[in-house]
Amino acid sequence: MTMTMEQLRDAQGEAVYSSEGEKIGQVEEIFLDIDTQKPEWIGIGTGFLRMKRVLVPVEGATQREDGFSIPYTKDQVQGSPDIDDDEISQETEQELYSYYGLPYSESRSDTGLPAGGPSAEAGTNLDAGDRGPNGDVDDEGSLIRSEEELRVGVRQTQAGGVRLRKWVETEPVQEDVELRQERAYVEREPINQQVSDAEIGEQEIEVPLVQEEAVVEKQTVAKERVRVGKEVDTRTETVGE
């Protein structure tokens, strides 16, 4: 589905997301086909402070609540040919079409680009056909004044790390245990009476004796939980260029 000019009119500064859903930059400018006035390329500022500018085709891009989504990976976009000038040559556009795997039209316009050259709706560019090689003359009797603006941002860097490690310590333990043991003794009790069913002869009885033995066993018991947390400190730093 092709994006319409109405969708891209206020696109400058909107976030651009890769096919994996990762934010890769912001919209810097929209390039139009001079003949058809249809949006053809999206200029994206990527990298720290958005100092690297790349182009992605408008074809296949879709709008979402927080910006635009394109059907290309972050690595593919960042590896596209660099665009340093405000004017795209026919060779550069052909290289871009080939890089993104899109069919390239051989029809030429007065600018030498297929189906017309690029102009900018959003961003700082004007029609490439109305500019000089330095991008300073718009039409007869007028000049375009440009100035550089410092863009300051932040990026995250690793300042350190915390590692938790545990090891095993061995500690011998001794405890006193009270043990019981049965002992046999003989007790005689005189009996002076007649019995009718008693037999004279040998007889033997056996009485088992019981004793206690110390038994040692170990079990693992959780004693403490150690947790690492993070907090954010804010500082102000002055930068300049």
Side-chain angles (χ1 to χ4, degrees):
M1 178 180 179
T2 302
M3 301 289 293
T4 64
M5 197 62 240
E6 288 74 14
Q7 292 174 301
L8 297 172
R9 190 176 304 277
D10 300 322
Q12 186 177 15
E14 292 289 334
V16 180
Y17 297 88
S18 68
S19 57
E20 298 96 342
E22 184 177 3
K23 182 179 178 180
I24 59 177
Q26 295 182 353
V27 177
E28 296 289 342
E29 52 205 341
I30 302 296
F31 288 87
L32 307 180
D33 186 291
I34 287 181
D35 290 343
T36 64
Q37 288 299 299
K38 291 182 179 180
E40 191 169 12
W41 298 96
I42 300 176
I44 302 176
T46 64
F48 181 54
L49 300 182
R50 305 197 301 273
M51 298 302 292
K52 174 181 173 65
R53 185 178 68 167
V54 296
L55 297 186
V56 296
V58 171
E59 181 179 349
T62 57
Q63 189 173 21
R64 47 188 282 179
E65 293 183 358
D66 54 348
F68 297 90
S69 179
I70 57 175
Y72 305 103
T73 64
K74 177 180 179 180
D75 292 340
Q76 187 175 5
V77 172
Q78 292 185 340
S80 65
D82 291 342
I83 304 300
D84 297 327
D85 300 326
D86 294 325
E87 183 176 349
I88 303 176
S89 66
Q90 181 177 354
E91 291 75 14
T92 300
E93 188 170 37
Q94 185 175 7
E95 183 181 1
L96 287 169
Y97 270 97
S98 176
Y99 180 81
Y100 287 107
L102 298 176
Y104 179 71
S105 173
E106 295 296 337
S107 61
R108 299 174 180 265
S109 67
D110 294 338
T111 62
L113 300 180
S119 65
E121 177 69 15
T124 58
N125 293 355
L126 298 175
D127 288 347
D130 296 332
R131 303 179 70 116
N134 296 324
D136 54 356
V137 178
D138 183 26
D139 52 35
E140 184 177 359
S142 66
L143 297 175
I144 295 178
R145 184 185 65 83
S146 301
E147 65 180 28
E148 294 180 340
E149 295 181 353
L150 181 64
R151 293 175 175 172
V152 179
V154 296
R155 64 177 176 182
Q156 292 185 344
T157 59
Q158 184 170 346
V162 177
R163 179 181 293 111
L164 289 181
R165 183 173 63 90
K166 66 177 183 178
W167 63 91
V168 177
E169 292 184 351
T170 302
E171 178 183 356
V173 177
Q174 293 182 348
E175 291 189 9
D176 295 332
V177 180
E178 187 176 284
L179 303 176
R180 297 185 303 172
Q181 179 178 0
E182 293 182 342
R183 301 181 62 183
Y185 63 90
V186 177
E187 182 180 356
R188 294 187 178 187
E189 180 183 353
I191 301 177
N192 292 318
Q193 63 181 23
Q194 293 183 355
V195 292
S196 60
D197 56 351
E199 296 182 2
I200 303 297
E202 295 182 358
Q203 188 177 3
E204 181 180 320
I205 62 173
E206 183 176 344
V207 178
L209 300 177
V210 178
Q211 69 177 7
E212 293 179 339
E213 293 182 350
V215 178
V216 177
E217 64 177 11
K218 295 186 295 184
Q219 62 180 0
T220 302
V221 180
K223 295 294 186 179
E224 185 181 20
R225 175 179 286 110
V226 179
R227 182 182 292 109
V228 174
K230 297 193 301 182
E231 60 183 14
V232 178
D233 293 332
T234 303
R235 73 178 189 274
T236 301
E237 183 175 326
T238 302
V239 297
E241 174 68 27

